[in-house]
Amino acid sequence: MNDKTTNPGLQASLKSADTEEWIDLLFYRPIGYRWALLFKKLGISPNAITIASIFLGVAAGILFYYNNLWINVAGMCLLVWANMYDSADGQLARMTGQKSELGRILDGVSGDFWFIAIYVAICLRLTPEWSWWIWVLAATAGFFHGKQAAMADYYRNIHLFFLKGKSGSELDNSVQQWAIYYSLSWKKDFIRKLFLWFYSGYTHSQEQLSPRFQRFFALLRTRYGDTMPPAIAQEFRLGSLPLMKYTNILSFNTRVVALFISILIDQPWLYFVFELTVLNGLLVYMVWKHESWSGYLYRKIQHES
């Protein structure tokens, strides 16, 4: 707790106080910061830490296959450890300026590897009882998991854009990403072009679920270019700030608490139900509120002109 309020190094390693969850501020960020300091002394790069987190998260998922409480608890510990590293890699990158496109790729897919392993392990564990129905349930939950995580990430980056500007956000648009994709050669830039194929589609899917924001943002760009009037940025931030708690719920901590509880009571299928009901309900509410706010500001700016 003291680190959060008095340690300037820790504060500098955070994205912003607006977008941080209390569990992260109390636990993951202080521990991640200490890991980052250690890795900095050892000369270990953020990308290496991300790769380590992938191995830890996948190993955690594999341990959820076993119907054994202590093996499952070991998996929970590994998943927490993986998330510590996931925090540390970003903190180290911000501390040292070691930001790269590869780092963004790895950071973006690391959690996907964790949860793919978790989903597959749970399905294999429950197949003798559920047959192929558990795979259908898991696939449906996984599809919506992707939507939940994508929009949570998108709204955080939108908020950071209005708070810190382009340099403090990873907000992208699909048109620019597709332009970069088509400018590359499969022969010379295979890995980057492959990533951009997925990433451009991912960004486009985020934009499709936020049409009113796209209209509002396009109006701002037309009127003001890249220089956002501070009053408009501040007003948008005030309306967006209450939604940040929902972006955090739809990310890692709440999701993992539900996962751990379902495993501890030996009913892991309940985790999929939690995603399809509670988390989907929050997703719909979050999108509706964000779109309503974007529509209101669009009309206000139009009226003022």
Side-chain angles (χ1 to χ4, degrees):
M1 178 72 80
N2 290 336
D3 276 343
K4 181 182 77 167
T5 56
T6 64
N7 189 328
L10 173 59
Q11 289 281 14
S13 72
L14 305 178
K15 287 185 177 181
S16 81
D18 281 7
T19 56
E20 295 288 350
E21 189 175 8
W22 67 271
I23 295 176
D24 290 332
L25 289 173
L26 287 175
F27 183 70
Y28 285 110
R29 300 302 184 238
I31 294 176
Y33 177 67
R34 290 180 173 86
W35 277 115
L37 290 176
L38 174 62
F39 291 135
K40 182 180 178 182
K41 289 181 181 179
L42 296 175
I44 298 174
S45 71
N47 291 347
I49 302 170
T50 308
I51 292 171
S53 80
I54 292 174
F55 281 101
L56 288 169
V58 170
I62 292 171
L63 294 185
F64 294 145
Y65 163 75
Y66 299 95
N67 192 7
N68 179 288
L69 177 62
W70 295 111
I71 294 177
N72 294 162
V73 169
M76 296 174 193
C77 293
L78 285 180
L79 191 57
V80 170
W81 189 0
N83 201 47
M84 290 180 191
Y85 276 14
D86 187 58
S87 179
D89 61 7
Q91 289 174 276
L92 179 61
R94 286 185 285 275
M95 288 163 53
T96 61
Q98 298 180 66
K99 298 180 181 180
S100 65
E101 186 175 64
L102 176 60
R104 193 174 72 176
I105 296 171
L106 289 172
D107 193 54
V109 302
S110 59
D112 294 335
F113 281 111
W114 304 353
F115 280 96
I116 288 171
I118 291 167
Y119 276 51
V120 171
I122 290 175
C123 287
L124 290 173
R125 172 174 172 169
L126 296 181
T127 294
E129 177 184 356
W130 283 68
S131 184
W132 56 273
W133 286 106
I134 190 62
W135 295 90
V136 174
L137 180 63
T140 307
F143 171 81
F144 286 106
H145 177 152
K147 296 296 182 183
Q148 295 156 11
M151 295 312 294
D153 178 66
Y154 193 54
Y155 287 154
R156 272 197 301 268
N157 277 309
I158 290 172
H159 189 87
L160 288 169
F161 181 89
F162 281 87
L163 177 66
K164 295 186 172 184
K166 180 62 178 175
S167 62
S169 168
E170 294 178 351
L171 182 64
D172 290 314
N173 72 73
S174 61
V175 173
Q176 291 177 343
Q177 296 305 308
W178 280 120
I180 298 172
Y181 167 83
Y182 286 116
S183 71
L184 299 176
S185 163
W186 281 111
K187 185 175 181 180
K188 296 180 180 179
D189 305 287
F190 179 83
I191 298 297
R192 188 183 181 201
K193 192 173 178 74
L194 181 64
F195 161 72
L196 283 168
W197 186 83
F198 284 106
Y199 184 67
S200 300
Y202 171 80
T203 305
H204 180 63
S205 71
Q206 292 172 317
E207 294 165 351
Q208 285 184 310
L209 286 177
S210 55
R212 292 184 184 178
F213 172 75
Q214 303 309 319
R215 184 180 63 171
F216 165 65
F217 199 48
L219 176 63
L220 292 182
R221 286 295 179 86
T222 301
R223 292 277 180 89
Y224 309 110
D226 293 329
T227 305
M228 195 75 62
I232 293 177
Q234 176 64 6
E235 186 173 11
F236 182 88
R237 174 184 170 270
L238 290 176
S240 171
L241 184 59
L243 302 181
M244 291 303 100
K245 60 179 175 289
Y246 301 116
T247 68
N248 288 323
I249 291 172
L250 292 173
S251 298
F252 182 81
N253 292 324
T254 302
R255 185 183 299 277
V256 166
V257 169
L259 172 67
F260 288 177
I261 291 173
S262 71
I263 290 174
L264 288 172
I265 64 174
D266 194 23
Q267 301 293 332
W269 59 272
L270 284 174
Y271 170 66
F272 300 143
V273 174
F274 177 78
E275 286 195 316
L276 291 170
T277 55
V278 176
L279 296 188
N280 265 351
L282 287 177
L283 172 65
V284 170
Y285 178 77
M286 180 180 70
V287 171
W288 173 70
K289 291 291 289 184
H290 200 275
E291 286 287 277
S292 297
W293 184 239
S294 297
Y296 164 76
L297 291 178
Y298 175 84
R299 293 189 297 272
K300 180 179 179 181
I301 295 173
Q302 286 280 60
H303 178 73
E304 290 175 350
S305 65

